[in-house]
């Protein structure tokens, strides 16, 4: 009688090599974990996404003070793009190592989306607070087509849906600024 082969999980469709059932996946590299959790902000409770967004507001507010006002819009765009480009592979590695599609402790997506919500926004506590609130509302609510973006594979789905929430927040923020309801 031949021995029965070990059960195998097949995650090849997600780009993950097959693994023996019950075997733990290798840990994500330290750089990926640090980036994906935004240097530990994603480990804070409750609401790691809100902590990630708040950390982004604080860090970006401090960085923005050192950027000439005429360059802040471009700097925010470049920062959001850089965070996205680094965040997608980091989120992918951490999600795969945790075997969770979109782990709550991965908050680099909130960092990217929050930065998008702050594009061309005056550097003021009111605008930063409004940006935080608007982004979190759209990130939690996920209006069309944001929920569909979550279906994208791995880190792309983790990060891109928050970029969508950031775009919604950005649009509302600029409507508030241009209507005079929010003064920077």
């Amino acid at each position: 009688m031949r021995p029965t082969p070990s059960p195998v999980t097949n995650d090849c469709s997600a780009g993950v090599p097959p693994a023996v059932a019950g075997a733990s996946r290798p840990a994500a590299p330290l750089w990926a974990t640090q980036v994906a959790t935004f240097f530990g902000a994603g480990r804070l409770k409750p609401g790691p996404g809100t902590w990630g967004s708040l950390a982004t507001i604080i860090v970006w507010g401090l960085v923005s003070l050192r950027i000439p006002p005429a360059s802040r819009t471009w700097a925010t765009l470049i920062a959001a793009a850089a965070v996205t480009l680094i965040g997608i592979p980091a989120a992918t590695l951490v999600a795969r190592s945790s075997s969770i599609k979109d782990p709550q402790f991965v908050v680099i997506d909130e960092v990217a989306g929050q930065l998008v919500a702050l594009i061309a926004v005056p550097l003021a506590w009111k605008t930063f607070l409004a940006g935080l609130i608007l982004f979190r509302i759209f990130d939690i609510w996920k209006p069309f087509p944001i929920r569909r973006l979550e279906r994208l594979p791995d880190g792309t789905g983790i990060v891109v849906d928050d970029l969508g929430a950031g775009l919604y927040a950005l649009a509302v923020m600029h409507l508030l600024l241009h209507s005079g309801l929010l003064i920077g």
Side-chain angles (χ1 to χ4, degrees):
M1 176 174 241
R2 291 177 27 193
T4 307
S6 309
V8 174
T9 59
N10 188 351
D11 291 337
C12 288
S13 63
V16 179
V20 175
S24 63
R25 295 184 183 209
L30 180 60
W31 76 266
T33 302
Q34 291 299 317
V35 168
T37 64
F38 198 49
F39 305 95
R43 303 280 186 196
L44 298 173
K45 304 279 186 211
T50 301
W51 287 109
S53 292
L54 184 58
T56 303
I57 293 280
I58 293 167
V59 170
W60 188 246
L62 293 172
V63 168
S64 293
L65 290 172
R66 291 166 176 71
I67 299 171
S71 301
R72 285 188 188 140
T73 297
W74 281 108
T76 312
L77 283 164
I78 291 167
V83 167
T84 300
L85 291 174
I86 295 166
I88 289 173
T92 296
L93 291 168
V94 172
R96 286 180 180 175
S97 72
S98 70
S99 298
I100 302 170
K101 182 173 172 25
D102 188 355
Q104 283 191 338
F105 57 86
V106 170
V107 295
I108 197 63
D109 50 333
E110 273 80 15
V111 176
Q114 188 65 70
L115 285 169
V116 168
L118 298 175
I119 294 170
V121 170
L123 184 60
W125 73 268
K126 290 178 189 177
T127 56
F128 276 30
L129 179 61
L132 174 70
I133 292 168
L134 288 169
F135 172 69
R136 293 305 298 149
I137 287 170
F138 288 115
D139 187 28
I140 293 165
W141 177 27
K142 298 195 186 308
F144 181 82
I146 294 173
R147 188 146 326 266
R148 287 190 175 172
L149 296 173
E150 288 181 310
R151 297 179 194 156
L152 293 169
D154 298 322
T156 304
I158 293 171
V159 175
V160 173
D161 74 306
D162 283 33
L163 294 176
L167 288 171
Y168 271 97
L170 178 66
V172 173
M173 171 74 80
H174 282 278
L175 284 172
L176 292 172
L177 287 167
H178 292 292
S179 69
L181 294 174
L182 180 64
I183 299 169

